[in-house]
Amino acid sequence: MSDDRLGNVFACWEPSKEFCERMPPPPAQVLARIGREFGTGLARVYAFGDSVRLGGGDLSFAPAADSGDTGLFTGTDRLRRWGWEFPSAIRVFGWNGGGDPYGLWVADGRSRPVIAVGSTDVFTITAPSIESFLLLQTALLSVWSQIPATALDGLRLPDTLRLQSDEIPDEYVAALRRWAGAELPEGLSGDPYDDRLTEDEMTKVVEQWSRG
C-alpha cells in the first residue's frame, strides 16, 4: 500500500460519484482552522470536499460552513447541551447511518484516534487514526455499494479482501483492520455498545499509542 493512505482513499472516492457525494471545499482559512483543531488528516478530508457522504449516508461528515447544531465546529457543544456526556478531549466530526457520532480525540499528544459514540455516555476507540479509519470504513462500505473495480484499485484493496455479500464475517473485519492499520488493543471490538469504555480507559489507550 502507498504511504499516502488518505491519497489512496481519495483515489477511490473520486471516481465513485454515487458512492461519494461532496460539496466544494471550504475556504483556506477554514481548512487551516480544521487543521489546528482536529489535525491535518481531517483537514485533508475537507480539502477533498465539504460535507462528504459515503454510501448514501452510511458515513457523513459535518458541514464546515454550518454554524448551527450540525456544524463541524459547533456540533460537539450542541450534543453536550443535549446531555451527551462527552469527555473534554472528544470533538465530533460526523456520524454513521444510524446517527451515532464519530469524533476525534484531540487532547495534546501525537495520537488522534477515532472515537465511536453509541449513546449519551457509551464510547469506544474504533481506529487509531483518521487515515486508518477511512481506509477501513471505505473498504467495509464497498461490500454493499457498487464501487467500480478501478476505484478499489485506487484504494489499493487486495483482491482477497474484495467481498460482495449481505453479511460481513468477523474474520473479514479483522483482516480489513490488519490491512488498514486499524487494529485495536486486545479486548476491544470498536463497537461502543460492546466496549463501553470510560474516559480513563480511553485515555490509557491513547497514551499507550502516543508513546509508540
Side-chain angles (χ1 to χ4, degrees):
M1 186 189 302
S2 165
D3 289 339
D4 185 5
R5 294 183 294 170
L6 280 180
N8 294 343
V9 168
F10 302 150
C12 175
W13 291 359
E14 176 68 38
S16 308
K17 305 301 183 184
E18 294 184 2
F19 173 70
C20 176
E21 303 168 69
R22 55 176 168 155
M23 300 295 289
Q29 63 268 28
V30 175
L31 292 174
R33 181 182 176 188
I34 295 171
R36 291 193 302 270
E37 297 187 16
F38 291 87
T40 57
L42 196 67
R44 286 190 64 193
V45 174
Y46 279 83
F48 177 83
D50 197 354
S51 306
V52 168
R53 294 175 74 245
L54 302 181
D58 286 331
L59 175 61
S60 300
F61 287 80
D66 190 344
S67 59
D69 289 341
T70 63
L72 178 64
F73 299 110
T74 54
T76 307
D77 290 339
R78 179 267 309 221
L79 291 171
R80 288 194 174 106
R81 289 197 303 271
W82 288 0
W84 292 62
E85 300 174 4
F86 282 107
S88 58
I90 294 178
R91 296 286 301 277
V92 172
F93 66 82
W95 48 89
N96 65 18
D100 293 334
Y102 288 116
L104 281 171
W105 186 278
V106 296
D108 291 341
R110 296 190 305 274
S111 180
R112 293 180 185 267
V114 176
I115 308 299
V117 184
S119 64
T120 58
D121 59 355
V122 176
F123 308 96
T124 194
I125 295 173
T126 195
S129 67
I130 191 69
E131 293 86 355
S132 60
F133 172 76
L134 290 179
L135 280 170
L136 175 65
Q137 289 297 314
T138 302
L140 281 172
L141 294 177
S142 76
V143 174
W144 298 296
S145 303
Q146 296 299 315
I147 297 180
T150 53
L152 295 178
D153 291 342
L155 191 64
R156 304 292 192 268
L157 185 66
D159 290 341
T160 55
L161 293 178
R162 299 187 185 190
L163 177 69
Q164 291 291 318
S165 174
D166 293 332
E167 296 183 0
I168 299 181
D170 291 342
E171 296 80 5
Y172 175 71
V173 176
L176 277 184
R177 282 191 173 277
R178 289 191 294 272
W179 166 79
E183 292 175 284
L184 298 172
E186 185 176 355
L188 294 186
S189 69
D191 184 324
Y193 295 103
D194 290 338
D195 298 340
R196 295 180 177 269
L197 294 185
T198 66
E199 182 173 2
D200 287 344
E201 289 168 335
M202 287 190 290
T203 300
K204 288 179 181 178
V205 173
V206 172
E207 288 176 347
Q208 291 170 356
W209 276 337
S210 294
R211 289 194 296 268

